[in-house]
Amino acid sequence: MATMRFGQHAIKSTAVFLQTELSFALVNRKPVVPGHVLVCPLRPVERFRDLRPDEVTDLFTTTQRVAGVVEKHFGASSLTIAIQDGPEAGQTVKHLHVHVLPRKAGDFEKNDSIYEELQKHDKEDQELPSRWRSEEEMANEASVLSRLFT
């Protein structure tokens, strides 16, 4: 099974549900809300400023496509789309990525609590593999999502 690089992590290609010329989208091993996925440039750059103009275009076009599909598929009425650009912004994986989170009314008591959850959901010192979704769960979700892009 092929693997891809996501910063300091190797991820199985079965977690990837969309790939374009310059970007890819993958399911999240520890989603904050159902349908929380990531969109990344293929080239492993750490910061937004490191992207070339064609990569910015492809990343945001891909994010827009992914956002529309996950919002509909997960029965959401809104989206939170976020980039944590640098360690002080909460970035823990040294590979720029866009969080796409389908949102529903009442999913958090305080709407902005989602940012607190994002801030802590991938802290390396709190990483317990037992809290991650299984490779099989991730592959199943990626398979379902990939069929929505054909």
Side-chain angles (χ1 to χ4, degrees):
M1 181 172 302
T3 59
M4 296 179 75
R5 294 302 310 165
F6 177 47
Q8 61 270 39
H9 304 285
I11 58 163
K12 292 187 176 175
S13 60
T14 55
V16 175
F17 61 89
L18 180 65
Q19 185 170 331
T20 66
E21 182 183 346
L22 300 173
S23 303
F24 67 100
L26 68 151
V27 298
N28 201 319
R29 70 180 177 190
K30 247 175 50 177
V32 172
V33 294
H36 176 189
V37 298
L38 307 174
V39 183
C40 315
L42 281 171
R43 189 170 65 93
V45 300
E46 189 171 337
R47 300 289 308 276
F48 186 74
R49 65 178 176 233
D50 300 328
L51 292 173
R52 298 184 313 256
D54 60 336
E55 291 171 318
V56 172
T57 300
D58 191 83
L59 181 69
F60 276 88
T61 300
T62 303
T63 298
Q64 186 178 49
R65 285 180 66 202
V66 167
V69 167
V70 298
E71 181 176 0
K72 183 178 178 183
H73 180 73
F74 287 94
S77 56
S78 298
L79 296 159
T80 294
I81 298 172
I83 297 175
Q84 295 165 297
D85 192 27
E88 288 72 35
Q91 182 181 16
T92 57
V93 176
K94 294 180 179 187
H95 188 148
L96 175 73
H97 54 286
V98 181
H99 294 265
V100 178
L101 301 103
R103 301 293 305 277
K104 297 178 181 179
D107 55 4
F108 286 89
E109 188 175 329
K110 294 180 182 173
N111 190 45
D112 282 352
S113 294
I114 195 157
Y115 299 109
E116 294 169 21
E117 289 300 314
L118 269 178
Q119 188 80 6
K120 66 184 182 184
H121 98 287
D122 259 348
K123 293 277 187 211
E124 295 294 334
D125 59 346
Q126 296 175 1
E127 287 289 293
L128 299 172
S130 63
R131 295 180 57 186
W132 300 347
R133 296 195 301 166
S134 71
E135 298 291 340
E136 183 179 359
E137 282 178 286
M138 292 171 61
N140 287 339
E141 183 174 279
S143 177
V144 168
L145 290 174
S146 70
R147 288 193 292 273
L148 300 175
F149 290 94
T150 56

